[in-house]
Amino acid sequence: MMAMPDPNDIKALLDWQAELGADEPLGEVPANRYVADPGHQKAEVAPQATQSAIATDPVSVAAEMARESASLEDLRQTMGEYRHCDLYKGARNLVFCDGQPQARVMILGEAPGREEDVQGKPFVGRAGQLLDKMLGAIGMDRASPDPQSAVYITNVLPWRPPQNREPTPDEMAMMLPFVKRHIELVDPDVLVLMGNVSCQAMLGRKGITRLRGNWQEVSGRPCLPMFHPAYLLRNPHAKREAWADLLELKARLLAE
């Protein structure tokens, strides 16, 4: 007869997994990502096909798929079918967008967090709540039906990185063609880059404390780098600069 496991041993194992960064279960049975799917029969692959797969450039594949997306719905579906970025394997949802597609302002964040991954929408956690208050202070609202006061929100990455780590350069490079196509389809008057990751993706530079508040140009449209709301939660003293950037954004919209 098999002995029952000691509850203390089980607790110790769970504590050990938590220390490694496992913050939530995704299923009752662990998935081994290093073996082939047992539900599919292994097929023989010709040498030419193997060489072609090895030579496939994920960024080129992303660029081709993005070009073929004629609408936002097409783009959402295409991104969901893209399988070269492994982040999708550990994510619950693809986080595509929120807000009004006809809005004059498009906000580009970094990557989904835990709450965003659960709900499938960008900026819905504590940082998102702060963002809503910031926008409300200048008369803007993601839920507004009026393009003049509405905003459209998305991220550089549509999937949550493990333990909310920063995206790698390879992950950003793979998603960049989709981001650029996303901007083309929405066609906003002004683009706001929230945080270092979005600045690195679109401007090729980091250092948000130097970049914030200084207008740039991305894809032929004005672009304003700003502190990410998550940064403001950790550094409340920077809210003064964030308020100045919001006023600058409002003034730009009124001038155009």
Side-chain angles (χ1 to χ4, degrees), residues 7-254:
N8 292 325
D9 292 340
I10 296 176
K11 183 178 184 302
L13 286 171
L14 291 173
D15 290 342
W16 175 68
Q17 292 181 20
E19 290 178 3
L20 291 178
D23 56 0
E24 59 178 312
L26 295 179
E28 296 181 359
V29 180
N32 187 344
R33 304 296 183 187
Y34 296 96
V35 298
D37 185 351
H40 294 79
Q41 185 176 359
K42 186 175 181 180
E44 293 185 2
V45 181
Q48 295 86 350
T50 303
Q51 292 174 3
S52 175
I54 293 174
T56 297
D57 176 16
V59 177
S60 297
V61 173
E64 183 177 353
M65 294 175 71
R67 280 194 302 269
E68 294 176 353
S69 299
S71 66
L72 290 174
E73 189 55 40
D74 286 347
L75 186 64
R76 179 198 291 266
Q77 181 175 344
T78 297
M79 291 171 67
E81 295 170 352
Y82 184 74
R83 287 294 180 261
H84 291 278
C85 183
D86 287 342
L87 288 177
Y88 81 90
K89 295 179 180 179
R92 289 188 177 186
N93 286 297
L94 182 145
V95 179
F96 186 69
C97 72
D98 195 17
Q100 169 64 265
Q102 285 73 43
R104 296 184 64 196
V105 176
M106 181 175 184
I107 296 176
L108 182 63
E110 300 183 345
R114 182 180 182 279
E115 291 300 320
E116 289 76 16
D117 183 39
V118 171
Q119 297 188 38
K121 290 184 178 182
F123 285 93
V124 293
R126 289 183 62 220
Q129 294 166 17
L130 177 56
L131 175 61
D132 288 341
K133 292 179 181 178
M134 293 166 60
L135 294 172
I138 58 170
M140 305 194 76
D141 185 349
R142 72 170 86 188
S144 173
D146 182 3
Q148 298 297 321
S149 59
V151 294
Y152 183 86
I153 307 174
T154 188
N155 283 313
V156 173
L157 295 188
W159 299 290
R160 178 194 181 193
Q163 288 79 57
N164 293 342
R165 64 160 172 76
E166 276 204 5
T168 67
D170 286 346
E171 290 165 351
M172 286 192 288
M174 283 186 276
M175 291 297 108
L176 187 55
F178 295 114
V179 175
K180 290 181 176 180
R181 184 59 178 152
H182 207 154
I183 295 172
E184 289 176 357
L185 291 170
V186 175
D187 193 23
D189 292 339
V190 175
L191 182 65
V192 175
L193 302 181
M194 287 271 177
N196 264 325
V197 171
S198 55
C199 287
Q200 183 177 6
M202 304 310 299
L203 302 175
R205 288 177 284 164
K206 297 180 69 173
I208 190 62
T209 55
R210 297 187 302 274
L211 291 170
R212 59 137 294 268
N214 297 304
W215 286 97
Q216 311 284 335
E217 185 174 303
V218 169
S219 300
R221 53 182 49 81
C223 161
L224 182 64
M226 291 182 61
F227 287 129
H228 195 285
Y231 176 87
L232 298 175
L233 289 173
R234 299 190 302 269
N235 302 275
H237 64 274
K239 289 183 178 181
R240 177 180 297 181
E241 288 86 351
W243 174 240
D245 295 344
L246 287 168
L247 293 178
E248 180 68 23
L249 173 63
K250 183 177 180 180
R252 185 67 177 250
L253 292 170
L254 290 174

